[in-house]
Structure formats: C-alpha cells, structure tokens
C-alpha cells in the first residue's frame, strides 16, 4: 500500500478507547514489515547456503518452494500468536468468567424453581 495514499471515508473502529485503533493499525503495519524483512533475511540465508552471491537481483529472483512457503507461514502464525497472546488470554478469561457466571445463575434459577 502506498503510505501517501489517502483512504476516503471513515475508518472502522473496534475499541472504545480513543487512539487504540490507530495504535493497533501501527502495530499491524510493523508486524507486516517485520515479516517481509524476515522473509528477505531467510532468502539471503538460503542463497548463502547455496554459495550464491547475495545480490539484489538474486534476492529478487529467488522463488521459494512449497516447503519454504509453509515454513515462513508457520513463522508468521507464531509471530501473530505472540503478538496477540495478551488479547487471546484476556478473551479466554472473559469467556471463562462469563461461562462461570451464567452457570452459577442457571444453578440459582433451577434451585429456586424447584
């Protein structure tokens, strides 16, 4: 995406706290750039292992095979898991609490109905 391109219309918001959506966007852009640089470094390492010159043309010409693509995807998934681990943990805690509260309420309701 062109960083100078202006997107028309209002951006969707997901968080109530002002600025959190912008911060999340910036974090995701940095994660995207990190993944691109990590893939490029992986390409450089693979060229070096093959004793090929590490040049811009060799880097751009490199075409990863399916195994390499899968390895890179796994690395991206692990990065995203780490990136969102706090949010995933918080969601699980909220879900568990909600489930426990509903369970307790249901038990109370059943006990009073009998």
């Amino acid at each position: 995406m062109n960083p100078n391109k202006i997107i028309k219309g209002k951006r969707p918001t997901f968080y109530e706290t002002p600025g959190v959506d912008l911060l999340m966007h910036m974090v995701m852009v940095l994660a995207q750039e990190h993944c691109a640089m990590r893939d490029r470094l992986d390409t450089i390492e693979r060229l070096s292992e093959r004793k090929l010159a590490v040049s811009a043309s060799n880097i751009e010409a490199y075409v990863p095979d399916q195994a390499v693509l899968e390895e890179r995807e796994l690395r991206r998934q692990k990065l995203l898991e780490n990136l969102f681990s706090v949010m995933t943990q918080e969601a699980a805690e909220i879900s568990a609490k909600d489930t426990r509260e509903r369970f307790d309420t249901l038990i109370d309701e059943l006990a009073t109905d009998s």
Side-chain angles (χ1 to χ4, degrees):
M1 175 189 269
N2 180 349
N4 297 323
K5 183 178 180 181
I6 296 175
I7 300 171
K8 295 180 183 176
K10 187 173 173 148
R11 280 185 192 262
T13 57
F14 302 97
Y15 301 97
E16 293 178 16
T17 307
V20 173
D21 288 296
L22 294 173
L23 179 61
M24 285 300 295
H25 175 75
M26 290 187 289
V27 168
M28 293 309 297
V29 168
L30 287 172
Q32 179 182 4
E33 289 299 316
H34 170 82
C35 288
M37 285 191 293
R38 185 60 187 95
D39 286 353
R40 195 162 179 95
L41 176 60
D42 181 64
T43 297
I44 291 168
E45 290 169 348
R46 291 175 191 278
L47 291 174
S48 294
E49 285 174 358
R50 294 179 187 174
K51 309 283 190 237
L52 296 172
V54 177
S55 65
S57 60
N58 281 349
I59 294 168
E60 294 301 324
Y62 177 78
V63 178
D65 62 22
Q66 188 62 36
V68 171
L69 291 173
E70 289 172 8
E71 185 180 317
R72 289 177 178 186
E73 181 58 27
L74 182 61
R75 188 171 37 242
R76 271 189 283 283
Q77 292 303 317
K78 285 181 181 180
L79 171 72
L80 292 173
E81 281 177 27
N82 288 336
L83 187 64
F84 290 113
S85 63
V86 172
M87 295 171 88
T88 303
Q89 179 64 34
E90 185 175 337
E93 289 170 3
I94 290 169
S95 178
K97 183 178 179 186
D98 178 51
T99 302
R100 182 68 191 178
E101 287 174 359
R102 286 192 297 165
F103 174 78
D104 291 342
T105 301
L106 179 60
I107 295 299
D108 289 343
E109 288 174 3
L110 289 172
T112 53
D113 287 343
S114 327

Short mmCIF file of all heavy atoms in Angstrom, two decimals, residues 1 3 6 12 14 27 30 33-34 48-52 55 60 64 84 86 89 91 94 97 107:
data_model
loop_
_atom_site.label_atom_id
_atom_site.label_comp_id
_atom_site.label_asym_id
_atom_site.label_seq_id
_atom_site.Cartn_x
_atom_site.Cartn_y
_atom_site.Cartn_z
N MET A 1 0.84 -1.18 0.00
CA MET A 1 0.00 0.00 0.00
C MET A 1 0.88 1.23 0.00
O MET A 1 1.87 1.30 0.71
CB MET A 1 -0.93 -0.01 1.21
CG MET A 1 -1.75 1.25 1.32
SD MET A 1 -2.66 1.40 2.86
CE MET A 1 -4.16 0.63 2.38
N PRO A 3 2.04 4.53 1.23
CA PRO A 3 1.83 5.22 2.50
C PRO A 3 1.30 6.64 2.32
O PRO A 3 0.77 7.22 3.26
CB PRO A 3 3.22 5.23 3.14
CG PRO A 3 4.17 5.01 2.03
CD PRO A 3 3.43 4.23 0.97
N ILE A 6 -4.36 8.46 0.44
CA ILE A 6 -5.37 8.83 1.43
C ILE A 6 -6.62 8.00 1.18
O ILE A 6 -7.17 7.99 0.08
CB ILE A 6 -5.69 10.34 1.35
CG1 ILE A 6 -4.43 11.15 1.70
CG2 ILE A 6 -6.84 10.68 2.27
CD1 ILE A 6 -4.59 12.63 1.55
N PRO A 12 -13.17 2.19 10.18
CA PRO A 12 -13.96 1.48 11.19
C PRO A 12 -13.23 1.50 12.53
O PRO A 12 -12.00 1.54 12.57
CB PRO A 12 -14.04 0.05 10.64
CG PRO A 12 -12.89 -0.07 9.71
CD PRO A 12 -12.63 1.30 9.17
N PHE A 14 -12.96 -0.36 16.45
CA PHE A 14 -13.26 -1.59 17.16
C PHE A 14 -13.14 -1.42 18.66
O PHE A 14 -13.69 -2.20 19.42
CB PHE A 14 -12.33 -2.72 16.69
CG PHE A 14 -12.42 -2.97 15.21
CD1 PHE A 14 -11.50 -2.40 14.34
CD2 PHE A 14 -13.44 -3.76 14.69
CE1 PHE A 14 -11.60 -2.64 12.97
CE2 PHE A 14 -13.54 -3.99 13.33
CZ PHE A 14 -12.61 -3.42 12.46
N VAL A 27 0.79 -1.14 14.91
CA VAL A 27 1.41 -2.40 15.31
C VAL A 27 1.31 -3.41 14.18
O VAL A 27 2.28 -4.13 13.88
CB VAL A 27 0.76 -2.95 16.61
CG1 VAL A 27 1.18 -4.38 16.87
CG2 VAL A 27 1.11 -2.06 17.80
N LEU A 30 3.78 -2.60 11.45
CA LEU A 30 5.13 -3.02 11.87
C LEU A 30 5.29 -4.53 11.80
O LEU A 30 6.34 -5.03 11.38
CB LEU A 30 5.42 -2.52 13.29
CG LEU A 30 5.69 -1.03 13.42
CD1 LEU A 30 5.76 -0.64 14.90
CD2 LEU A 30 6.96 -0.64 12.70
N GLU A 33 5.78 -5.42 8.16
CA GLU A 33 7.14 -5.09 7.74
C GLU A 33 8.15 -6.07 8.32
O GLU A 33 9.09 -6.48 7.64
CB GLU A 33 7.49 -3.66 8.14
CG GLU A 33 6.76 -2.60 7.33
CD GLU A 33 7.09 -2.68 5.85
OE1 GLU A 33 8.28 -2.85 5.49
OE2 GLU A 33 6.15 -2.57 5.04
N HIS A 34 7.95 -6.45 9.58
CA HIS A 34 8.84 -7.43 10.21
C HIS A 34 8.82 -8.75 9.42
O HIS A 34 9.87 -9.33 9.15
CB HIS A 34 8.42 -7.68 11.66
CG HIS A 34 9.11 -8.84 12.29
ND1 HIS A 34 10.37 -8.74 12.82
CD2 HIS A 34 8.74 -10.13 12.44
CE1 HIS A 34 10.73 -9.92 13.28
NE2 HIS A 34 9.77 -10.78 13.06
N SER A 48 22.99 -17.86 0.63
CA SER A 48 24.33 -18.07 1.19
C SER A 48 24.63 -19.56 1.34
O SER A 48 25.75 -19.99 1.06
CB SER A 48 24.45 -17.39 2.55
OG SER A 48 24.37 -16.00 2.40
N GLU A 49 23.64 -20.33 1.80
CA GLU A 49 23.84 -21.78 1.94
C GLU A 49 24.16 -22.42 0.59
O GLU A 49 24.92 -23.39 0.53
CB GLU A 49 22.59 -22.42 2.53
CG GLU A 49 22.42 -22.17 4.01
CD GLU A 49 21.09 -22.70 4.54
OE1 GLU A 49 20.28 -23.24 3.76
OE2 GLU A 49 20.88 -22.58 5.76
N ARG A 50 23.60 -21.88 -0.47
CA ARG A 50 23.85 -22.42 -1.82
C ARG A 50 25.11 -21.83 -2.44
O ARG A 50 25.41 -22.07 -3.60
CB ARG A 50 22.65 -22.11 -2.73
CG ARG A 50 21.39 -22.81 -2.33
CD ARG A 50 20.28 -22.43 -3.27
NE ARG A 50 19.00 -22.95 -2.82
CZ ARG A 50 17.85 -22.67 -3.39
NH1 ARG A 50 17.80 -21.86 -4.44
NH2 ARG A 50 16.73 -23.18 -2.94
N LYS A 51 25.80 -21.00 -1.68
CA LYS A 51 27.03 -20.35 -2.14
C LYS A 51 26.77 -19.42 -3.34
O LYS A 51 27.63 -19.24 -4.19
CB LYS A 51 28.11 -21.38 -2.51
CG LYS A 51 28.39 -22.41 -1.45
CD LYS A 51 29.22 -21.83 -0.34
CE LYS A 51 29.69 -22.96 0.58
NZ LYS A 51 29.32 -22.83 1.94
N LEU A 52 25.58 -18.84 -3.36
CA LEU A 52 25.24 -17.89 -4.42
C LEU A 52 25.51 -16.47 -3.91
O LEU A 52 25.44 -16.21 -2.71
CB LEU A 52 23.76 -18.02 -4.81
CG LEU A 52 23.36 -19.35 -5.44
CD1 LEU A 52 21.85 -19.43 -5.61
CD2 LEU A 52 24.05 -19.53 -6.79
N SER A 55 22.99 -10.75 -3.80
CA SER A 55 22.81 -9.51 -4.56
C SER A 55 21.32 -9.23 -4.67
O SER A 55 20.49 -10.13 -4.52
CB SER A 55 23.41 -9.65 -5.95
OG SER A 55 22.71 -10.64 -6.69
N GLU A 60 15.78 -10.93 -5.46
CA GLU A 60 14.50 -10.73 -6.15
C GLU A 60 14.13 -11.91 -7.03
O GLU A 60 12.95 -12.21 -7.21
CB GLU A 60 14.55 -9.45 -6.99
CG GLU A 60 14.68 -8.17 -6.18
CD GLU A 60 13.56 -7.94 -5.18
OE1 GLU A 60 12.40 -8.30 -5.47
OE2 GLU A 60 13.86 -7.43 -4.08
N PRO A 64 10.73 -19.25 -3.57
CA PRO A 64 10.70 -20.29 -2.56
C PRO A 64 9.81 -21.47 -2.97
O PRO A 64 8.78 -21.27 -3.62
CB PRO A 64 10.13 -19.59 -1.32
CG PRO A 64 9.39 -18.41 -1.86
CD PRO A 64 10.06 -18.03 -3.14
N PHE A 84 -0.63 -11.36 19.68
CA PHE A 84 -1.98 -11.27 20.22
C PHE A 84 -2.19 -12.12 21.47
O PHE A 84 -3.33 -12.27 21.93
CB PHE A 84 -2.99 -11.65 19.15
CG PHE A 84 -3.09 -10.65 18.05
CD1 PHE A 84 -2.67 -10.97 16.77
CD2 PHE A 84 -3.58 -9.38 18.28
CE1 PHE A 84 -2.75 -10.04 15.74
CE2 PHE A 84 -3.65 -8.44 17.27
CZ PHE A 84 -3.24 -8.78 16.00
N VAL A 86 -1.69 -11.66 24.64
CA VAL A 86 -2.34 -10.97 25.76
C VAL A 86 -3.83 -10.83 25.50
O VAL A 86 -4.65 -11.08 26.39
CB VAL A 86 -1.69 -9.59 26.00
CG1 VAL A 86 -2.46 -8.78 27.02
CG2 VAL A 86 -0.25 -9.75 26.44
N GLN A 89 -5.50 -14.26 25.76
CA GLN A 89 -5.63 -14.65 27.17
C GLN A 89 -6.77 -13.88 27.83
O GLN A 89 -7.58 -14.46 28.55
CB GLN A 89 -4.32 -14.40 27.91
CG GLN A 89 -4.36 -14.74 29.38
CD GLN A 89 -4.58 -16.22 29.64
OE1 GLN A 89 -4.11 -17.06 28.88
NE2 GLN A 89 -5.29 -16.55 30.69
N ALA A 91 -9.40 -12.54 26.40
CA ALA A 91 -10.67 -13.02 25.86
C ALA A 91 -11.06 -14.35 26.49
O ALA A 91 -12.23 -14.57 26.82
CB ALA A 91 -10.58 -13.16 24.34
N ILE A 94 -12.31 -13.64 30.04
CA ILE A 94 -13.65 -13.06 30.00
C ILE A 94 -14.67 -14.14 29.67
O ILE A 94 -15.73 -14.24 30.29
CB ILE A 94 -13.72 -11.90 28.98
CG1 ILE A 94 -12.92 -10.71 29.50
CG2 ILE A 94 -15.17 -11.52 28.69
CD1 ILE A 94 -12.70 -9.62 28.48
N LYS A 97 -15.12 -16.46 32.65
CA LYS A 97 -15.88 -15.78 33.70
C LYS A 97 -17.34 -15.73 33.32
O LYS A 97 -18.22 -16.01 34.13
CB LYS A 97 -15.34 -14.38 33.95
CG LYS A 97 -16.04 -13.65 35.06
CD LYS A 97 -15.46 -12.28 35.30
CE LYS A 97 -16.22 -11.58 36.42
NZ LYS A 97 -15.79 -10.21 36.60
N ILE A 107 -27.82 -22.36 37.89
CA ILE A 107 -27.97 -23.22 39.06
C ILE A 107 -28.87 -22.55 40.09
O ILE A 107 -29.77 -23.18 40.66
CB ILE A 107 -26.59 -23.56 39.68
CG1 ILE A 107 -25.76 -24.40 38.72
CG2 ILE A 107 -26.74 -24.25 41.03
CD1 ILE A 107 -26.38 -25.74 38.37
#
